[in-house]
């Protein structure tokens, strides 16, 4: 899987010297990071604007908006292991949050009281 500044999520199937490229999703925002769940069933897509999407490769559907940066841009997100039911995010404001991936419910948050930078 690969992303480009245009907001496309690409899949490259490589076999020997041959490859096939497929556009999996278009989220209309530049993607800053892609993170696979520990069991490789879900991808988290974090945009430059701080929105987090989920994409399930086996279902070949659209990327689903999970979190929107309403209180400040999310800098990063990752799965909370073990499993793939929860993710953790950190915002520029220093707020760390735990989310339930199924419906985007915020389960817990902690403010670090410091601005976060990459």
């Amino acid at each position: 899987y690969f992303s480009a500044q245009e907001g496309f999520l690409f899949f490259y199937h490589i076999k020997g010297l041959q490859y096939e490229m497929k556009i999996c999703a278009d989220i209309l925002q530049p993607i800053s990071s892609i993170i696979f769940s520990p069991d490789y069933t879900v991808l988290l897509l974090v945009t430059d604007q701080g929105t987090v999407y989920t994409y399930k490769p086996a279902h070949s559907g659209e990327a689903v908006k999970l979190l929107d940066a309403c209180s400040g841009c999310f800098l990063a997100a990752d799965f909370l292991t073990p499993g793939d039911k929860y993710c953790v995010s950190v915002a520029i404001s220093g707020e760390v949050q735990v989310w339930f991936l199924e419906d985007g419910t915020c389960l817990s948050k902690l403010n670090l009281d410091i601005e976060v930078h990459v």
Side-chain angles (χ1 to χ4, degrees), residues 89-108:
S89 66
V90 64
I92 292 171
S93 64
E95 188 169 77
V96 178
Q97 297 174 306
V98 176
W99 304 89
F100 184 52
L101 286 173
E102 191 169 304
D103 61 7
T105 302
C106 179
L107 301 173
S108 178

Side-chain angles (χ1 to χ4, degrees), residues 6-72:
E6 296 83 20
F8 293 109
L9 175 66
F10 297 99
F11 172 74
Y12 285 91
H13 181 246
I14 302 169
K15 188 171 184 177
L17 298 175
Q18 303 293 319
Y19 74 92
E20 177 185 347
M21 182 188 78
K22 174 184 169 188
I23 296 176
C24 300
D26 179 5
I27 59 171
L28 306 174
Q29 297 177 23
I31 299 169
S32 58
S33 61
I34 300 172
I35 305 102
F36 257 112
S37 64
D39 62 0
Y40 297 99
T41 60
V42 181
L43 279 168
L44 285 182
L45 310 171
V46 181
T47 71
D48 285 350
Q49 296 166 350
T51 308
V52 179
Y53 291 82
T54 58
Y55 178 78
K56 296 182 179 180
H59 296 102
S60 299
E62 288 294 312
V64 176
K65 185 186 290 187
L66 176 67
L67 312 171
D68 205 352
C70 53
S71 63

